[in-house]
Amino acid sequence: MRLSGYYLGDPRLILVPIEHLTTEGMSRELAAFLRDRGVWDAARTDLFDQGFRRYWVRSSALAARTRTWVGPRLRHVAIVTEPDAVRPYVQLLNTSAWLLYAGDFDPEISHPELLAYLLVHGDRLALSGDVATAPLHVGAYWLERGDEECEAFVGAAERATRPDAAILRATAAALPWLRALRHETLRPAPATRHHAVPGTGLLVPDATVAEPPRLVATVTAAARETLARYQSAWCADPRPAIVSLCQWLVADAPPLVVTTQGGRLVWDPSEPRRLGALRNELRQGDRTGVEAIAEDLRVIADHTRAFRAALVDPEALSRPAQDAEQQGYAYIHRERALIAYNLRESGIERLRGPALPYARAMLGARTVHEWAHLAVDTGWVPLAAPARLAAIAAEIAAELEAAIATAPAAIRTLTAVDVDELAS
């Protein structure tokens, strides 16, 4: 059954894939699948559905009435069941998933109001990546919430068990002044007596001008403490794992390069015994992180060798373009023409703790993807259906034109330059 790949794909979480998510919540098929395996029940499904519907309706309304609110979207929902085994605040599946926790769906402690807010908050994190300012920047959400809705959120925030529950409690404590804010379109006010929060439409009265920075500071401290607790759970001596990894690199000389900050090479198979720079980097990690790195490198090596084995003439493969992107889960190194693995890859904390859920599968896919680019550039992958491709392109163009034509005037004004660039 296709669904088995989602739940069984990683024991640390339950994934509600986008294919099983609608504006009304999760599909009955997925709910039954999870229930039959004893990891979910009807009460959790009901909480999920109620929270998701509230998120969708409210976010849609805010997007329609403001020019700064991003409309709701369907994304994967990653529900972490082992909190200490997944890095907090990580943007899973290339920012296409909300990161939530099993406790958020526990009917005895949670509430649909909490879930609806967490989805709104998650949208903001996916957009900005800034944990510290997210509760402030979604402040418009509270302007139209009633007393009962806010009380339900506050109660659930107090009971929350997620690793960063302190941030929810700080948000709950800030509700009195957040709900009193003004807004350029939802609740206009004279600009002379208010201070704008850039990019949000929010207007802060003089009387509470000190509250937004205080909230940001509180959230910043709470987020740092959350990360520190996570890292302290993974602090075992990395030296045994470093020895094992280095022994493998020398003995196997896998076809890949390892880089660090700025793309600097720290290991190259042409000189497999030169390990000093790599060791210096790995010593800054922990045992679990180094073991995960070793597994990652084996995945890259296996996929690379499988690709090369499929080539009749590997030497005829094109060289990488000099403008090839030098970042990602893995990438083709411009000079070495090998897959590069950056220990300091932005957004991925590879040196500490276990690998992210699904990260190794994505790493394998990325490795093959990068090699496939070179196969295409070499002319080994012909375009077999040019007429169908032209028809698909025309369909996409028509949909884009329709979307632009029906967008609100304010949105068309704000995006005019971008649209002109795309058209050219």
Side-chain angles (χ1 to χ4, degrees):
M1 183 180 182
R2 187 173 178 225
L3 274 170
S4 63
Y6 294 118
Y7 172 62
L8 301 177
D10 193 300
R12 294 173 289 176
L13 55 78
I14 298 169
L15 185 69
V16 179
I18 193 171
E19 298 92 335
H20 288 273
L21 188 64
T22 73
T23 59
E24 295 295 310
M26 101 172 38
S27 74
R28 299 309 88 181
E29 181 186 8
L30 179 61
F33 174 86
L34 297 175
R35 181 199 63 218
D36 293 345
R37 279 150 185 80
V39 299
W40 206 251
D41 57 31
R44 284 172 170 77
T45 298
D46 184 58
L47 196 158
F48 183 105
D49 293 346
Q50 286 192 51
F52 201 89
R53 283 195 294 269
R54 295 180 196 199
Y55 153 76
W56 194 271
V57 170
R58 294 169 183 177
S59 207
S60 296
L62 286 168
R65 296 173 58 201
T66 73
R67 64 186 182 88
T68 54
W69 194 271
V70 178
R73 57 176 292 192
L74 296 178
R75 295 191 289 154
H76 309 289
V77 184
I79 304 170
V80 178
T81 57
E82 298 181 25
D84 289 342
V86 179
R87 186 183 188 277
Y89 313 119
V90 69
Q91 297 290 311
L92 292 177
L93 301 177
N94 197 25
T95 74
S96 67
W98 283 286
L99 184 72
L100 301 173
Y101 292 86
D104 300 333
F105 300 91
D106 184 344
E108 294 186 3
I109 62 173
S110 191
H111 193 278
E113 289 297 336
L114 178 68
L115 177 57
Y117 172 76
L118 288 171
L119 295 171
V120 166
H121 183 269
D123 277 352
R124 187 68 197 184
L125 287 182
L127 180 66
S128 69
D130 190 344
V131 177
T133 60
L136 173 63
H137 285 181
V138 298
Y141 176 80
W142 300 109
L143 300 185
E144 298 179 339
R145 302 280 67 79
D147 291 343
E148 289 186 4
E149 294 167 338
C150 291
E151 288 170 5
F153 168 79
V154 170
E158 288 298 323
R159 298 186 297 270
T161 59
R162 50 188 289 135
D164 62 347
I167 291 178
L168 292 177
R169 290 191 263 278
T171 303
L175 285 190
W177 65 263
L178 281 172
R179 296 179 70 192
L181 295 179
R182 308 303 286 259
H183 189 277
E184 61 184 11
T185 58
L186 300 174
R187 194 185 288 173
T192 54
R193 298 197 302 272
H194 291 77
H195 306 267
V197 179
T200 68
L202 293 170
L203 302 170
V204 183
D206 285 344
T208 56
V209 71
E211 295 299 340
R214 185 177 292 123
L215 175 60
V216 170
T218 300
V219 172
T220 298
R224 288 174 175 165
E225 184 177 345
T226 300
L227 283 172
R229 283 198 306 271
Y230 167 77
Q231 291 172 344
S232 68
W234 306 100
C235 57
D237 186 349
R239 286 176 292 183
I242 293 173
V243 170
S244 177
L245 172 55
C246 289
Q247 288 175 342
W248 173 69
L249 290 174
V250 171
D252 191 73
L256 54 87
V257 294
V258 182
T259 62
T260 187
Q261 195 76 37
R264 179 173 61 88
L265 281 172
V266 294
W267 187 83
D268 190 312
S270 64
E271 298 179 284
R273 295 183 178 277
R274 295 190 64 175
L275 298 162
L278 176 64
R279 285 197 185 99
N280 288 338
E281 289 287 320
L282 296 178
R283 288 186 186 115
Q284 299 176 54
D286 57 55
R287 182 180 301 178
T288 302
V290 175
E291 290 172 345
I293 289 167
E295 292 184 45
D296 285 353
L297 297 182
R298 290 179 187 275
V299 166
I300 294 174
D302 290 346
H303 282 72
T304 294
R305 284 171 170 148
F307 172 80
R308 287 181 166 180
L311 304 181
V312 173
D313 184 8
E315 297 304 316
L317 196 66
S318 291
R319 296 285 302 177
Q322 285 307 296
D323 61 351
E325 187 176 40
Q326 300 293 277
Q327 62 180 359
Y329 273 89
Y331 57 90
I332 289 283
H333 195 275
R334 282 192 290 252
E335 284 73 37
R336 293 293 289 112
L338 290 170
I339 296 295
Y341 177 92
N342 193 333
L343 297 172
R344 305 285 184 173
E345 183 64 41
S346 176
I348 308 176
E349 192 173 36
R350 284 175 162 158
L351 288 164
R352 287 183 171 273
L356 298 178
Y358 306 109
R360 197 155 292 128
M362 294 184 71
L363 177 64
R366 175 75 174 188
T367 298
V368 175
H369 176 90
E370 291 295 285
W371 284 121
H373 268 306
L374 292 191
V376 171
D377 294 344
T378 309
W380 293 346
V381 184
L383 178 59
R388 179 58 182 146
L389 180 62
I392 292 173
E395 291 172 12
I396 293 173
E399 290 190 13
L400 288 172
E401 292 290 353
I404 293 168
T406 57
I411 298 298
R412 291 201 302 274
T413 299
L414 288 169
T415 59
V417 174
D418 292 332
V419 170
D420 286 343
E421 289 181 358
L422 287 172
S424 66

